[in-house]
Amino acid sequence: MSRSAKEAAAAVAAVAVTTPVQLERLGEQLRKLRLLKSGERLEALLQHAAEQELPYAEFLEQVLSEEVAAKTSKNIAMRTAMARFPFVKPLQTFDFDYQPSIDRKQVQTLASCHFIEHGDNVIVLGPPGVGKTHLAVSLGMKAIEAGYRVLFTTAATLIEKLTKAHAEGRLEEKLKLYTAPRLLIIDEIGYLPIDRIGANLFFQLISRRYERGPMVLTSNQSFGAWGEVFGDRVIATAILDRLLHHAVTMNIRGNSYRLKDKLKAGLVRSQDDTATQPGGEI
């Protein structure tokens, strides 16, 4: 009998030592402990351990490692769903070559999520279509992988919900909802005008999270234009004062991804990288 045949026979014999009653009992115990992945793969794990003649400690480590990996994957999927991202795009799918104005190393540093630990905000500025939301979502996904709770919202939806809660006497409840996540992502600031009530409510949220809850924000407007966005330069200044106290700002100077094919075909002209782009002080 060849060596491989002997090993296979030994594996079958080893698994056979485990009686059907024992397998059923082990499966039931694993289910009670909610070690569901191990329960599903119990026979395969036992056979592999027999084939490799694994020491008890190594076999136990393998079982627990698989279980931890399965639970981690499930938790990430659950937190991703709870984050309410408009789409799921990991950072590795971002085309840095198409947007050379972005410092790839800076983004990779942000992806380590140290900015969350330090309580820093990340503000991404640039014209429509250059990948601001993609970067925000990707950083949010990295935060989820690191174990943080994340919530995504557009500025328009945020203001709408805060305004409605204020009118219904539920503002405190709604502010707590947006204050609770470790990382809050607010997308598309400046795409729609904000009235004075909305500006005041937005300021209250920023004040709640100031130096306690980091945020990622995107905007197509320069900081100098935020006075018009919020309809009040004083409120805009107060908001920026808190946001920029501990913040990393990225300016994307480039072309819209939605124009990528048309640019290649020469149907539209590329933006001048030296043109004025969002940024600067209010």
Side-chain angles (χ1 to χ4, degrees):
M1 184 180 293
S2 66
R3 182 178 178 180
S4 59
K6 288 180 180 179
E7 290 176 349
V12 171
V15 174
V17 171
T18 306
T19 67
V21 174
Q22 285 177 312
L23 282 173
E24 184 177 349
R25 191 162 60 241
L26 285 170
E28 180 64 24
Q29 290 169 342
L30 290 172
R31 284 190 292 273
K32 286 182 178 178
L33 292 171
R34 300 197 65 77
L35 301 178
L36 305 182
K37 186 68 174 180
S38 301
E40 292 173 1
R41 287 180 31 80
L42 181 57
E43 290 191 52
L45 290 168
L46 288 170
Q47 182 171 338
H48 175 73
E51 290 172 352
Q52 302 299 319
E53 297 182 354
L54 297 181
Y56 296 133
E58 190 172 339
F59 170 66
L60 180 60
E61 181 181 5
Q62 180 183 349
V63 171
L64 294 178
S65 295
E66 284 199 15
E67 195 65 43
V68 168
K71 287 186 179 297
T72 299
S73 178
K74 183 178 180 180
N75 287 337
I76 288 175
M78 181 179 66
R79 288 197 298 268
T80 300
M82 291 175 63
R84 302 175 188 173
F85 294 130
F87 50 75
V88 175
K89 290 184 179 179
L91 189 58
Q92 55 264 36
T93 64
F94 190 86
D95 189 354
F96 286 96
D97 293 333
Y98 190 70
Q99 299 296 5
S101 66
I102 299 178
D103 186 338
R104 188 193 297 249
K105 290 184 178 180
Q106 182 185 39
V107 175
Q108 290 172 341
T109 298
L110 291 171
S112 70
C113 294
H114 291 316
F115 77 93
I116 298 177
E117 299 169 16
H118 300 153
D120 296 336
N121 299 315
V122 177
I123 305 175
V124 186
L125 305 175
V130 294
K132 301 186 300 297
T133 303
H134 186 166
L135 279 179
V137 168
S138 297
L139 290 176
M141 292 178 65
K142 286 293 185 181
I144 287 174
E145 291 173 10
Y148 296 109
R149 182 183 168 194
V150 178
L151 180 62
F152 178 100
T153 181
T154 63
T157 298
L158 172 68
I159 297 299
E160 178 186 355
K161 290 189 175 182
L162 288 178
T163 301
K164 182 179 179 182
H166 175 65
E168 296 174 350
R170 299 183 297 103
L171 180 60
E172 185 64 25
E173 172 189 336
K174 192 61 68 173
L175 285 172
K176 286 181 179 179
L177 173 68
Y178 289 111
T179 305
R182 184 70 175 114
L183 178 66
L184 178 65
I185 301 175
I186 304 176
D187 194 31
E188 298 182 343
I189 296 174
Y191 282 79
L192 295 174
I194 300 171
D195 62 22
R196 184 175 293 273
I197 293 177
N200 274 285
L201 295 173
F202 189 85
F203 172 73
Q204 288 187 51
L205 175 61
I206 298 302
S207 296
R208 290 283 187 99
R209 295 191 64 92
Y210 177 56
E211 293 192 325
R212 290 194 296 271
M215 292 173 284
V216 174
L217 306 99
T218 76
S219 178
N220 67 328
Q221 299 291 337
S222 69
F223 293 144
W226 280 33
E228 296 180 11
V229 171
F230 289 97
D232 189 312
R233 289 184 60 84
V234 174
I235 293 179
T237 299
I239 289 171
L240 284 170
D241 180 61
R242 285 157 177 77
L243 288 178
L244 297 176
H245 185 202
H246 302 288
V248 176
T249 301
M250 288 189 293
N251 276 286
I252 305 179
R253 300 177 177 88
N255 298 297
S256 169
Y257 283 101
R258 290 185 280 271
L259 299 178
K260 195 173 184 179
D261 293 336
K262 291 183 179 180
L263 285 167
K264 286 183 178 179
L267 299 176
V268 295
R269 296 179 62 183
S270 175
Q271 289 188 23
D272 183 3
D273 286 346
T274 62
T276 301
Q277 297 288 341
E281 298 298 331
I282 185 169

